[in-house]
Amino acid sequence: MPDSPTETATGRPELDVEDLHALVLKSLDDDQAVEVVTIPLAGKSNIADHMVIASGRSTRQVASMAHKLADRIKEQFGRIARIEGLPTADWVLIDADDVIVHLFRPEVRSFYNLERMWAFGDDAERSTAAHG
């Protein structure tokens, strides 16, 4: 008998990436994240289909948003999102497989400037040409 089409190779139930992405955006909106940006990665990188970058006003808010997001993912999809960076909460990474979320304090976000690093297409070409 063939494997169930609703399971992945890892044995985890399959989930709709767009539903997960929508949950991430709603969770961040509910928790008053600021400057939320989504970078589509499907077809451009194999690490995830979406990268979401957002800021919180303080380390306390960044940590709270990360905890709540991980709880919501577990509750709705039965998956455990991996979290890095909670002890200092200047920059917290939430890895939900097909959606990667970066939460920053504003000063740290501007320093690392991930939006520019992950720019694709014309913007990336113009940036390279201007500095090359």
Side-chain angles (χ1 to χ4, degrees):
M1 180 172 236
D3 290 340
S4 168
T6 60
E7 276 194 9
T8 63
T10 61
R12 288 180 163 175
E14 215 172 286
L15 63 88
D16 183 348
V17 175
E18 297 310 317
D19 288 346
L20 175 60
H21 183 237
L23 172 79
V24 167
L25 296 177
K26 181 173 181 349
S27 180
L28 295 175
D29 185 54
D30 289 350
D31 294 336
Q32 300 178 353
V34 292
E35 296 182 40
V36 178
V37 174
T38 294
I39 301 172
L41 298 178
K44 299 171 185 168
S45 174
N46 62 359
I47 65 166
D49 288 341
H50 298 281
M51 179 181 295
V52 178
I53 303 169
S55 298
R57 293 178 299 280
S58 66
T59 56
R60 176 180 279 176
Q61 184 188 16
V62 168
S64 176
M65 288 189 302
H67 280 295
K68 287 179 182 179
L69 178 56
D71 289 345
R72 290 171 178 148
I73 291 169
K74 184 175 182 181
E75 180 181 305
Q76 186 159 337
F77 296 106
R79 296 211 171 186
I80 296 175
R82 293 168 299 284
I83 302 176
E84 300 284 336
L86 272 177
T88 57
D90 284 333
W91 175 3
V92 177
L93 171 90
I94 299 104
D95 182 352
D97 292 329
D98 294 319
V99 179
I100 305 293
V101 183
H102 296 273
L103 302 176
F104 290 96
R105 280 190 314 99
E107 304 82 23
V108 178
R109 181 176 178 170
S110 66
F111 178 79
Y112 286 101
N113 200 2
L114 289 185
E115 292 94 331
R116 183 172 173 211
M117 182 186 311
W118 283 92
F120 292 105
D122 293 339
D123 292 337
E125 290 171 8
R126 270 189 243 121
S127 176
T128 303
H131 293 93

